[in-house]
Amino acid sequence: MKDAYIYDAIRTPRGKGRKDGALHEVTAVRLSAFTLNTLKQRNNLEGHAVEDVIWGNVTQVMEQGGCLAWAAVLASDLDESIPGLAINRFCASGLEAVNLAANQIKGGAGDGYIAGGVEMMGRVAMGSDGAAMAVDPQVAMGSYFVPQGISADIIATEYGFTREQVDAFAVESQSRAAAAWADNRFARSVIEVRDQNGLSILDRDEYMRPQTDMQSLGALKPAFKDMGEVMPGFDAVALMKYPHLEMINHIHHAGNSSGIVDGAAAILIGNKEFGERWGLTPRAKIRANAKIGTDPTINLTGPVPVTEKILRENGMQIGDIDLFEVNEAFASVVLRFLQAFDVDHGKVNVNGGAIAMGHPLGATGAMILGTLLDEMERTDKEIGLATLCVAAGMGSATILERV
């Protein structure tokens, strides 16, 4: 078994996933190609430099369909001898792309890979690809399917989180993200997106709302209350699965949930020989990765069991981890992680998260891994863990060790 190292990690700024968003006129293939080109140029790669490009992408239809990874390679300056693989593990797709690449390297199937992902949520709407889980009656009924927002509210109800707690978490995410940008903590990884004429399109995360406070969030109505309660509502489905709950407490809304945005991220991964060949210095070793299936109704609790699994399989304890990135799909997801492991919030998402900056589905996993590595270097920490919940009930995690 060979070790797999991260040599570089980049991401675009996140643009608002709307028609007035700065990245709206950029297609997924063009943003992917731009990101691949930037990674190539930064590391002076030439020819068949890597074995494959593994690219996460969730809504694989229309302009994001047809193996987007290969289209992105062809649209980029990478050599056409490099193939592309598009993968989909919902919200963890970008992280799973990295994990798959790392495992290929560890097993000897190539010396170097580019892994990451993209999602242009303002151009290709989330859910527009359909899903058997939602539309096939047999699957939906057998799994007690409910939309993710209902699941987030189930977590809050099951584990006792209040509206005040989830709103306070959201305010803190905004505050941390604003402080991170003010302190230039993303400078190494965030690449300015430019058009074909070299003109700037976007150079910082666009979705952030640093003025957010408890009063402004308190004015927002719960986003999933009607779909839960109006007959035939999803609350009835959830309560068949969780009969010990008297009702579902609906407390999530746009302000304490992840933002709909556009963005891409790429990570350069290789073994020791790859780094020597290209004159690159490794930044961290991908020490371990894991995935798991979970209850498909509550569905967003995956970070807890997958973290338990990865720690158990590697003979580690939660106290061995110096820093955490837990994707902020909804506030209750991270609050449950903090509760389950009794982890100091000062070690988790220290630069804010998807509530403040947004969650470009296929790219987020690679984004938070890069953010984790940057913060490990900035604060001179040794071990970090990144994890995401996954739609319909899964979890994914990766442990980094600085070298």
Side-chain angles (χ1 to χ4, degrees):
M1 295 286 288
K2 295 190 175 184
D3 288 328
Y5 299 97
I6 292 178
Y7 287 97
D8 200 6
I10 62 174
R11 73 168 177 91
T12 69
R14 299 162 169 100
K16 294 177 182 177
R18 301 197 301 258
K19 290 184 178 180
D20 62 347
L23 298 178
H24 182 70
E25 298 304 318
V26 184
T27 64
V29 68
R30 290 299 171 189
L31 192 65
S32 298
F34 179 85
T35 307
L36 294 174
N37 286 343
T38 303
L39 195 70
K40 174 182 182 292
Q41 293 160 8
R42 279 173 48 134
N43 297 280
N44 298 310
L45 303 178
E46 298 293 341
H48 191 81
V50 294
E51 189 72 18
D52 204 354
V53 171
I54 305 178
W55 214 235
N57 174 224
V58 174
T59 311
Q60 297 186 6
V61 294
M62 299 179 289
E63 62 189 52
Q64 289 188 167
C67 190
L68 178 62
W70 175 231
V73 171
L74 294 178
S76 76
D77 296 332
L78 292 179
D79 194 277
E80 68 176 13
S81 66
I82 299 171
L85 171 65
I87 68 166
N88 181 6
R89 199 188 294 277
F90 298 132
C91 302
S93 297
L95 189 64
E96 281 300 320
V98 173
N99 291 345
L100 179 56
N103 291 343
Q104 294 279 82
I105 291 167
K106 290 179 180 182
D111 292 336
Y113 283 74
I114 294 173
V118 69
E119 205 78 31
M120 304 304 288
M121 300 180 73
R123 295 181 62 90
V124 182
M126 178 173 56
S128 59
D129 53 341
M133 192 98 179
V135 303
D136 185 305
Q138 186 173 3
V139 178
M141 293 175 66
S143 62
Y144 295 91
F145 167 81
V146 299
Q148 288 186 49
I150 301 292
S151 297
D153 288 336
I154 296 173
I155 293 174
T157 307
E158 176 75 1
Y159 295 102
F161 305 128
T162 65
R163 170 68 182 262
E164 183 178 18
Q165 286 176 301
V166 294
D167 282 357
F169 182 90
V171 171
E172 180 67 13
S173 179
Q174 295 283 354
S175 176
R176 291 184 179 193
W181 270 104
D183 198 32
N184 291 319
R185 296 181 192 177
F186 302 129
R188 179 169 186 173
S189 296
V190 173
I191 58 174
E192 182 179 18
V193 179
R194 295 178 176 271
D195 65 16
Q196 57 188 349
N197 297 314
L199 300 176
S200 177
I201 298 176
L202 186 64
D203 64 359
R204 65 184 285 117
D205 292 322
E206 185 182 30
Y207 181 80
M208 292 166 50
R209 294 157 292 177
Q211 73 283 0
T212 299
D213 57 23
M214 292 294 287
Q215 184 176 2
S216 62
L217 293 187
L220 299 177
K221 295 181 179 180
F224 311 105
K225 183 178 177 66
D226 286 349
M227 72 168 64
E229 295 180 354
V230 176
M231 295 300 292
F234 285 103
D235 283 6
V237 177
L239 293 174
M240 286 192 290
K241 185 72 171 287
Y242 304 104
H244 61 284
L245 299 178
E246 293 184 5
M247 59 177 290
I248 307 300
N249 184 22
H250 293 288
I251 60 174
H252 286 88
H253 49 74
N256 55 37
S257 307
S258 56
I260 294 175
V261 295
D262 304 324
I267 296 181
L268 182 62
I269 309 162
N271 58 24
K272 181 181 179 181
E273 291 77 13
F274 176 84
E276 292 173 345
R277 183 181 309 126
W278 296 102
L280 304 174
T281 301
R283 298 174 61 189
K285 179 171 68 174
I286 299 176
R287 180 164 172 174
N289 58 73
K291 55 268 187 185
I292 200 167
T294 66
D295 181 342
T297 305
I298 202 168
N299 117 34
L300 302 170
T301 55
V304 173
V306 79
T307 296
E308 292 172 339
K309 179 183 180 184
I310 199 171
L311 294 175
R312 181 176 64 251
E313 291 178 344
N314 291 276
M316 302 175 70
Q317 303 293 325
I318 198 71
D320 297 329
I321 309 298
D322 299 313
L323 285 172
F324 300 85
E325 283 289 325
V326 183
N327 186 41
E328 295 176 0
F330 297 88
S332 64
V333 172
V334 189
L335 288 174
R336 172 56 189 151
F337 185 90
L338 294 170
Q339 180 190 67
F341 295 108
D342 193 24
V343 176
D344 179 0
H345 192 191
K347 295 182 177 181
V348 181
N349 300 358
V350 298
N351 295 311
I355 289 174
M357 293 177 284
H359 176 19
L361 306 177
T364 302
M367 285 185 171
I368 68 170
L369 195 67
T371 297
L372 176 64
L373 177 54
D374 284 346
E375 186 63 17
M376 289 168 64
E377 292 173 337
R378 187 183 75 86
T379 56
D380 195 26
K381 297 297 192 297
E382 182 181 1
I383 305 292
L385 183 146
T387 182
L388 301 93
C389 60
V390 182
M394 292 182 280
S396 180
T398 304
I399 294 176
L400 296 184
E401 178 181 349
R402 282 183 61 206
V403 295

